[in-house]
Amino acid sequence: MSPTLDQMREAQRALESPLFSGLPGDIEVSFEFFPPKTEKMGETLWQSVQTLEPLDPRFVSVTYGAGGSTRERTHEAVRRIVRDTAIPAAAHLTCVQATKEEVDAVAREYWEEGVRHIVALRGDAPDADTGYAPHPGGYENAADLIAGLKKIADFEISVAAYPEVHPDSPDRQADLDNLKRKFDAGATRAITQFFFEPECFFDFRDKAAAAGIEGEIVPGIMPVMSFAAVQRMSGLCGTAIPDWMEGLFDGLDERPEARQLVSATIAAEMCRRLYAGGVRQFHFYTLNRAELSYAICHMLGLRPKA
Ligand SMILES: Cc1cc2nc3c(=O)[nH]c(=O)nc-3n(C[C@H](O)[C@H](O)[C@H](O)COP(=O)(O)OP(=O)(O)OC[C@H]3O[C@@H](n4cnc5c(N)ncnc54)[C@H](O)[C@@H]3O)c2cc1C
């Protein structure tokens, strides 16, 4: 996709003035949380939701543990967001270790409780070594799940996308074909796996457009809380960690506050470059901590709504 005149002006401005000066805050954001395991973690989650609510997110979503292991906790967190906030809530749902009837029952319950948005995923095998196999009588993959959900109710549906290609995919084209099948089945947006170089997203966006994908593709932003944890996760999901990154976090293991500042700087700069390339929607993997995501949104010009 060739840049528009606006994008070229914007890129020029990004080079000439201080990086974050004068941004009008014309972005839309969403935030992802995971279901808390303990009461204390529940409090942290809740404080994070309340901190981020004034930024007027399009939605906040709650993940679903492998094999439905967090089914009740995911449900409880989503229910509380619906009940106690004005933010549209999205519930993640996977196909793993459940029959279609079981998955459908969860979705129906969500609909009855006022949840109108599902992040529809295949999920992974609980044992990473065995690889994914559909449950007998279950949904085969995310596209199949979307078709099932759409039969239940007219949910808004978000799906996952992989700028660096999903590890199970034979190649980029097969992965894009799969993404297209998910849009064709009724998804309204794709949220990407996290990545650390803006070019990675731009390249993916171009390739998706060339593959005939017209739906919204939102970058998933992962501010680094722990570099070791990010290395582990990146290894599992195939995200490349740029060489420069390790050096930036080197020596900060025992300095959480300095690490947070470094982390916010790196993530905000990447978002700024995405913004310069025309991106206006961002999805943050908050890991249930609000401050990093809040700081990045602030640097991108977003301010609390009255
Ligand atoms: C934004 C986001 C949120 C997530 N949230 C969760 C969560 O809450 N809980 C959780 O457990 N996991 C979550 N995940 C991880 C996700 O479940 C894994 O990445 C999983 O391995 C793939 O799920 P998917 O929905 O992308 O699968 P799919 O889109 O179904 O496909 C995965 C891979 O299999 C290939 N494939 C699928 N169908 C076929 C077919 N018929 N023939 C050939 N190849 C096929 C695709 O090309 C693709 O490479 C999330 C990921 C992202 C990016």
Side-chain angles (χ1 to χ4, degrees), residues 20 27 221 223 263-265 267-269 271 284 291-302:
F20 295 98
I27 59 167
I221 308 298
S263 177
T265 306
E269 185 177 332
C271 290
F284 290 91
E291 290 309 324
L292 269 174
S293 301
Y294 192 99
I296 297 161
C297 292
H298 184 91
M299 287 202 268
L300 292 171
L302 202 58

Side-chain angles (χ1 to χ4, degrees), residues 5-84:
L5 198 58
D6 268 359
Q7 281 172 8
M8 285 165 70
R9 278 201 201 101
E10 173 50 36
Q12 184 67 25
R13 191 161 71 110
L15 287 174
E16 282 170 356
S17 6
L19 203 50
F20 295 98
S21 70
L23 294 180
D26 58 341
I27 59 167
E28 294 181 306
V29 295
S30 50
F31 301 109
E32 183 171 312
F33 300 97
F34 63 84
K37 275 201 183 104
T38 61
E39 215 170 290
K40 191 160 181 291
M41 287 166 80
E43 262 323 294
T44 308
L45 163 64
W46 196 241
Q47 280 164 12
S48 299
V49 171
Q50 287 177 317
T51 302
L52 295 167
E53 185 175 15
L55 296 179
D56 197 23
R58 294 204 283 176
F59 62 91
V60 297
S61 74
V62 183
T63 61
Y64 199 67
S69 55
T70 68
R71 183 163 152 174
E72 283 314 312
R73 284 186 278 128
T74 299
H75 209 125
E76 188 47 43
V78 171
R79 200 180 287 136
R80 185 162 182 197
I81 292 164
V82 170
R83 193 184 60 213
D84 294 350

Side-chain angles (χ1 to χ4, degrees), residues 64 92 121-124 141-142 162 166 169 175 178 182 285:
Y64 199 67
H92 291 221
L121 302 144
R122 186 197 75 177
D124 289 309
N141 52 33
Y162 301 90
H166 188 281
S169 192
D175 216 21
N178 182 59
K182 295 197 275 191
Y285 297 108

Side-chain angles (χ1 to χ4, degrees), residues 28 111 133 146 160 188 258:
E28 294 181 306
W111 184 266
I146 297 163
T188 34

Side-chain angles (χ1 to χ4, degrees), residues 32 62-67 92-96 119-125 132 140-144 159-162 165-171 174-179 181-182 190-194 220 237 283 285:
E32 183 171 312
V62 183
T63 61
Y64 199 67
H92 291 221
L93 194 54
T94 71
C95 312
V96 180
V119 182
L121 302 144
R122 186 197 75 177
D124 289 309
Y132 176 82
E140 203 170 304
N141 52 33
D144 194 21
V159 294
Y162 301 90
V165 182
H166 188 281
D168 291 352
S169 192
D171 54 47
D175 216 21
L176 287 169
D177 292 345
N178 182 59
L179 180 58
R181 276 197 294 275
K182 295 197 275 191
I191 301 168
T192 74
Q193 186 58 277
F194 66 90
C237 69
H283 181 81
Y285 297 108

